[in-house]
Amino acid sequence: MADTGNRLRNLLESPNFEPQSYVKQLSQQSDGDRDLQEHRQKIQTLADETAQNLKKNVYKNYRQFIETAKEISYLESEMYQLSHILTEQKSIMESITQSLLSSDKDETAKEMLAAFPKESEEVKQRTLTTLLEKVEGCKNIMETPGRYLVYNGDLLEYDADNMSQIQKVHAFLMNDCLLIATWLANRRGAVKYKYNALYDLESFAVVNVKDNPPMKDMFKILMFPESRIFKAENSKIKKEWLEILEETKKNKVAKDKNKKVEEVPTSPVRQEVSTNPFDKDEPLDSEELVDLSPEWIQELPEDLDVCIAQRDFEGAVDLLDKLNEYLKEQPVSPRVKELRVKVDERVRQLTEVLVFELSPDRSLRGGPKATRRAVSQLIRLGQSTKACDLFLKNRAAAVRTAIRQLRIEGATLLYIQKLCNIFFTSLLETAREFEMDFAGNTGCYSAFVVWSRSVMKVFVDAFSKQVFDSKESLSTAAECVKFASEHCKQLSEIGLDLTFILQTLLVRDIREALQSQKDIIIEATKHRNSEEMWRRMNLMTPEALAKLKDEMRSCGISSFDQYTGEDCWVNLSYTVVAFTKQMMAFLEEGLKLYFPELHMVFLESLREIILVAVQHVDYSLRCEQETEKKAFILQNASFLHETVLPVVERRFEEGVGKPAKQLQDLRKSSRSVRVNPDSTTSLV
């Protein structure tokens, strides 16, 4: 059979395989429908095996797929960086060319004047005013002195995610900013556009978008917290936009730089000598002591914008650390304050981006390690409290999502095992990641403890809904609580003990479950008592007798053999035996659920259950007239008082760690039944 399957597989995998010829040959060789059905079954089996192998290969390479996706994301970021580097290289080459061709400066200026005739500032401002009259909502644009129009034109804006067209816009490039206005299609009159956005030239970076049909003649503007893609009418206009944008940005930087260098005090103040011996000399020319001429300081705001747009958070924080180190011991001059204002704005933007990275709206996949990058950079920015709060909110959302996505299927205990594995594993990973990220911020540990209690409440809500609200048996509830408690104790490995919180949140449900089970046992015992005939049990078979002995031994009653008679008889009533098994099962399940807050509830439940059986025996002894039955009732009473009750007391003390005084008092007070069975005294 295997050889036939291999031959068929080799035949189908051969490069020269022709389906039509194969089917024709198969039809000629087949004796009838049965052969075709068998061959069809072989092909189907081979198809199933192939599908299974494909699934295995997919699962095997799943991690590689994930890593490949991450690499693609990193590659995209690197392409943005490469584009920025190429733009910088282009600027450097142009500056070198201009310095080398300084002798031809006049001729070059004439050529540029011929290509782009210069206008006076008044003409440019008048042109800008005329154009802006067509834009609704931008009357304050001209309030800035010295602002004039450099370039303008129609563009199409596209969605950065799916590359679908959004709207038609008109862009106005001025000497210090870029205005984007949307086109009003159904508007009549002079106003044709509506104000959309205004960007300072230092707040964005321009990136060329490689032509990839149907995406052609596009360029991207990177700014916080988003990027916008625009399409020009043709490649020539796109090139003009890129060149003029870059030239205008460069001119503004050079103009600001020259303005700062050329700043001189208009009225120098002669230093006066103070006669006060307590006065300290303060340098008046502090501005001259702070050297802000290095190129990296001049380009710092723009470099920070590029790093934020390209999600290079580490690079942005490194630049900020470098600046702080450079200015650490320098005096605060007006130029330093101006630089600080620009840098502080970028710090605010960077903080908002990092906060967005940690928001629960982002993808929660990847576990706690996926947040490490944003958390570490926020801590470096001095925002450890905010980083702690956002990290814990992110992990809380991840825990809720994981619990919500857990499917409720199969037995309750199986669901609880999955729930505990997911929750406590996530809690343990979060604790370890928190300890690693906030190792130097011990003040945040109290926030983690508060967070642990809040997510424990989420876990207990899901736990109680499945275990207690669905009215599962007490034995199932006991196993589920025991399983959760064992997982909770494992957190002590990292110094986190949440057992008390788990018990506090479960105490109400467990108390109700114990009381409900107590009521069920009492009701069942009363029902059996009403039908009591006080006859010996006949188990009919030795196997049944052996099984009953094993059950009693497992309950801790090792002296049960003395109550068995000849053949398969048991010298006890069926009611007393059934009560003993039910009572001992309740005791064992209650001990699994026990913690100090439930001590009195559990003890009183045991006392009430035992009291029902004792009262029944007391009543039967006082009412029975036959001597033989009375002796049998006394034998059952002796079994309860001398065998069952001491075992209950001993097992309770072993499980709880303290004696059951109420049960001891109950057993002592019920001795009058055996000492004086003719007494009319009741135990009630």
Side-chain angles (χ1 to χ4, degrees), residues 20 39 154 197 229 237 269 297 302 334 435 507 572 592 658:
Q20 294 181 353
H39 203 80
D154 290 329
I229 296 180
I237 296 178
V269 180
I297 293 182
E302 185 175 353
E435 189 175 12
V507 63
L572 292 172
K592 293 179 182 177
K658 59 177 70 175

Side-chain angles (χ1 to χ4, degrees), residues 265-433:
T266 56
S267 56
V269 180
R270 183 168 58 88
Q271 185 175 0
E272 297 181 358
V273 180
S274 175
T275 59
N276 189 345
F278 295 99
D279 287 347
K280 294 184 179 179
D281 295 334
E282 295 183 359
L284 297 179
D285 298 331
S286 60
E287 190 156 348
E288 297 180 0
L289 300 177
V290 184
D291 183 14
L292 299 181
S293 60
E295 185 177 357
W296 69 272
I297 293 182
Q298 296 295 326
E299 297 179 355
L300 183 65
E302 185 175 353
D303 290 341
L304 288 174
D305 289 334
V306 173
C307 288
I308 294 172
Q310 296 177 350
R311 300 168 58 82
D312 183 12
F313 307 136
E314 294 82 359
V317 179
D318 289 341
L319 287 174
L320 292 171
D321 289 344
K322 184 179 179 181
L323 178 65
N324 292 332
E325 183 66 24
Y326 183 81
L327 300 176
K328 183 167 61 175
E329 298 180 356
Q330 301 289 350
V332 180
S333 65
R335 290 178 57 198
V336 173
K337 289 182 180 180
E338 185 179 355
L339 178 62
R340 282 291 187 189
V341 170
K342 293 182 179 180
V343 172
D344 289 344
E345 176 64 21
R346 271 70 178 183
V347 171
R348 183 188 64 79
Q349 295 177 2
L350 177 60
T351 302
E352 291 182 1
V353 175
L354 294 172
V355 168
F356 179 70
E357 285 292 312
L358 291 173
S359 64
D361 298 333
R362 298 282 288 172
S363 176
L364 299 173
R365 297 180 180 178
K369 294 181 181 179
T371 62
R372 183 181 301 171
R373 184 183 180 208
V375 168
S376 61
Q377 302 312 315
L378 274 176
I379 293 174
R380 291 179 62 189
L381 290 173
Q383 303 279 348
S384 58
T385 303
K386 182 178 290 187
C388 175
D389 181 59
L390 292 170
F391 172 77
L392 295 178
K393 286 181 178 179
N394 181 281
R395 296 315 306 153
V399 170
R400 291 190 183 93
T401 302
I403 293 177
R404 189 168 57 249
Q405 291 178 349
L406 183 61
R407 297 181 61 183
I408 302 176
E409 57 183 1
T412 300
L413 185 59
L414 180 61
Y415 171 82
I416 294 301
Q417 289 175 352
K418 293 180 180 179
L419 177 65
C420 291
N421 288 331
I422 290 175
F423 174 75
F424 287 103
T425 300
S426 177
L427 189 60
L428 189 62
E429 291 177 352
T430 301
R432 288 172 176 166
E433 185 65 24

Side-chain angles (χ1 to χ4, degrees), residues 8 28 94 114-115 124 139 160 164 213 222 246 294 304 336 361 371 397 413 427 462 506 552 600 617 655:
L8 180 60
Q28 293 175 354
E94 288 177 354
K124 292 178 180 178
K139 294 181 180 180
S164 60
L222 304 174
E246 196 64 36
L304 288 174
V336 173
D361 298 333
T371 62
L413 185 59
L427 189 60
L506 287 176
M552 288 298 177
M600 291 307 301
V617 173

Side-chain angles (χ1 to χ4, degrees), residues 465-527:
K465 183 178 180 181
Q466 187 65 20
V467 176
F468 296 107
D469 294 353
S470 59
K471 305 299 181 183
E472 289 288 340
S473 65
L474 190 64
S475 59
T476 302
E479 290 295 329
C480 293
V481 172
K482 181 181 178 182
F483 195 81
S485 299
E486 290 174 353
H487 272 75
C488 198
K489 290 177 182 177
Q490 293 177 2
L491 296 176
S492 59
E493 298 176 3
I494 58 172
L496 184 65
D497 189 359
L498 300 178
T499 305
F500 175 75
I501 296 177
L502 177 65
Q503 294 175 351
T504 302
L505 295 173
L506 287 176
V507 63
R508 181 179 61 84
D509 291 326
I510 296 178
R511 182 189 297 114
E512 293 177 357
L514 287 173
Q515 292 176 344
S516 176
Q517 185 66 14
K518 175 203 69 176
D519 295 338
I520 292 173
I521 295 175
I522 290 176
E523 189 66 28
T525 303
K526 288 181 178 180
H527 179 72

